[in-house]
């Protein structure tokens, strides 16, 4: 009797943990491929109610074809553990990127697959955006179309190369740059976002500084710029003193995206 009570208490604890988890947790019948147990997060990832989710099978939510599903189950059963990335179909027809961690478990002698689903959609989008940004930067460097800036964070004055000025149709011989002027030329719709990213980097609340924004040209038009930089000098107290960076003209590819 005492053993049974202890077992029931332990099951309640595990059930509470699963219910609070932000990752989807499911137990899948290896024969029917239906979800015999699942937490609320598993349903929420696809926008399903618990009643709707209970009627689904793996084939209803995954991007994998039946032969791939069969092979995946066989590998999990044989090896006992298998992790992979997959796309899951939501109720509204959209797709989410999922990192699935799968383990074989046995319940009363019958094999099941216990899976943890982590939604990595936003992470994948960020990585794709970073790769695109890096590719643009690489192409710009190869073509010599990079503006360089050296910002004194104590005075707000920046030294820039000729390409920096030319990029916004200014005359390099007479152009003078400052942090205040840079913010002032920024498109109103981009200003708060970009200034927030810059201030957060200076304050140490983010590890990198890389932003895209529209800058006003001398003629009054707008040109898309990729700005990247890093702190290169601090005072004895650790306060940022100097920052180096680059401006890249990404107007053409941004216009194509629009």
């Amino acid at each position: 009797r005492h053993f049974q009570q202890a077992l029931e208490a332990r099951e309640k604890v595990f059930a509470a943990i699963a219910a609070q988890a932000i990752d989807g947790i499911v137990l899948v019948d290896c024969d029917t491929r239906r979800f015999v147990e699942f937490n609320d997060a598993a349903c929420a990832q696809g926008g399903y109610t618990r009643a709707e989710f209970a009627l689904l099978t793996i084939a209803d939510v995954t991007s994998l074809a039946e032969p791939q599903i069969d092979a995946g189950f066989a590998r999990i059963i044989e090896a006992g553990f298998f992790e992979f990335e997959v796309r899951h179909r939501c109720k509204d027809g959209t797709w989410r990127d999922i990192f699935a961690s799968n383990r074989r478990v046995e319940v009363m002698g019958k094999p099941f697959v216990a899976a943890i689903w982590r939604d990595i959609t936003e992470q994948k989008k960020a990585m794709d955006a970073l790769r695109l940004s890096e590719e643009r930067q690489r192409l710009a460097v190869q073509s010599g179309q990079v503006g360089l800036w050296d910002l004194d964070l104590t005075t707000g004055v920046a030294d820039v190369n000729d390409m920096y000025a030319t990029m916004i149709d200014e005359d390099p011989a007479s152009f003078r740059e400052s942090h205040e002027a840079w913010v002032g030329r920024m498109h109103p719709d981009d200003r708060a976002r970009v200034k927030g990213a810059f201030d957060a980097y200076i304050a140490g609340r983010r590890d990198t500084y890389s932003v895209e924004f529209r800058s006003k040209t001398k003629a009054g038009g707008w040109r898309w710029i990729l700005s990247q930089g890093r702190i290169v000098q601090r005072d004895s107290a650790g306060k940022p003193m100097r920052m180096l960076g680059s401006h890249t003209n990404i107007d053409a590819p941004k216009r194509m995206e629009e």
Side-chain angles (χ1 to χ4, degrees), residues 19-251:
Q20 294 299 316
I22 60 174
D23 293 332
I25 301 175
V26 299
L27 184 68
V28 187
D29 187 311
C30 292
D31 295 327
T32 65
R33 308 290 168 81
R34 289 191 176 278
F35 305 107
V36 296
E37 294 288 349
F38 47 87
N39 67 349
D40 290 343
C43 307
Q45 281 180 356
Y48 297 100
T49 65
R50 290 189 64 86
E52 292 169 336
F53 195 80
L55 300 176
L56 303 177
T57 68
I58 281 289
D60 294 321
V61 300
T62 182
S63 59
L64 301 176
E66 286 289 351
Q68 294 173 301
I69 296 174
D70 292 340
F73 269 85
R75 180 167 179 177
I76 296 167
I77 295 303
E78 180 181 355
F81 185 74
F82 186 30
E83 293 183 330
F84 54 87
E85 289 186 15
V86 67
R87 302 190 77 203
H88 280 185
R89 184 188 300 107
C90 299
K91 180 181 176 180
D92 63 4
T94 58
W95 293 87
R96 305 294 293 180
D97 293 300
I98 302 295
F99 181 79
S101 178
N102 308 273
R103 184 177 297 276
R104 184 194 68 222
V105 297
E106 288 194 7
V107 180
M108 299 181 67
K110 177 179 172 61
F112 291 82
V113 170
I116 298 176
W117 295 343
R118 174 155 295 180
D119 191 328
I120 57 171
T121 306
E122 299 309 316
Q123 177 183 339
K124 294 270 287 187
K125 287 181 180 179
M127 291 175 63
D128 290 343
L130 178 60
R131 281 193 290 268
L132 177 60
S133 177
E134 290 174 342
E135 177 63 13
R136 288 172 177 168
Q137 181 77 352
R138 183 184 66 80
L139 293 174
V141 170
Q142 288 179 346
S143 63
Q145 300 298 305
V146 176
L148 303 177
W149 48 268
D150 182 345
L151 176 62
D152 185 329
L153 294 168
T154 62
T155 66
V157 175
D159 290 326
V160 300
N161 68 349
D162 289 353
M163 181 52 65
Y164 183 103
T166 303
M167 196 173 294
I168 51 176
D169 301 332
E170 294 282 354
D171 180 2
S174 58
F175 181 74
R176 297 293 180 269
E177 183 64 303
S178 68
H179 182 71
E180 182 180 1
W182 171 71
V183 173
R185 285 195 308 274
M186 209 170 290
H187 193 287
D189 292 344
D190 301 333
R191 191 172 296 145
R193 171 179 56 83
V194 176
K195 189 175 184 303
F198 181 89
D199 292 344
Y201 174 70
I202 295 298
R205 296 193 301 273
R206 58 185 295 169
D207 298 328
T208 59
Y209 169 73
S210 179
V211 291
E212 297 179 355
F213 60 90
R214 288 159 290 184
S215 182
K216 182 176 290 187
T217 64
K218 186 175 182 177
W222 298 104
R223 188 158 297 151
W224 278 99
I225 303 292
L226 167 65
S227 181
Q228 297 175 302
R230 63 186 180 90
I231 296 168
V232 296
Q233 184 180 349
R234 298 176 183 270
D235 64 16
S236 57
K239 181 180 178 180
M241 300 285 289
R242 183 184 177 199
M243 190 171 173
L244 298 181
S246 64
H247 273 188
T248 306
N249 184 348
I250 58 170
D251 196 67

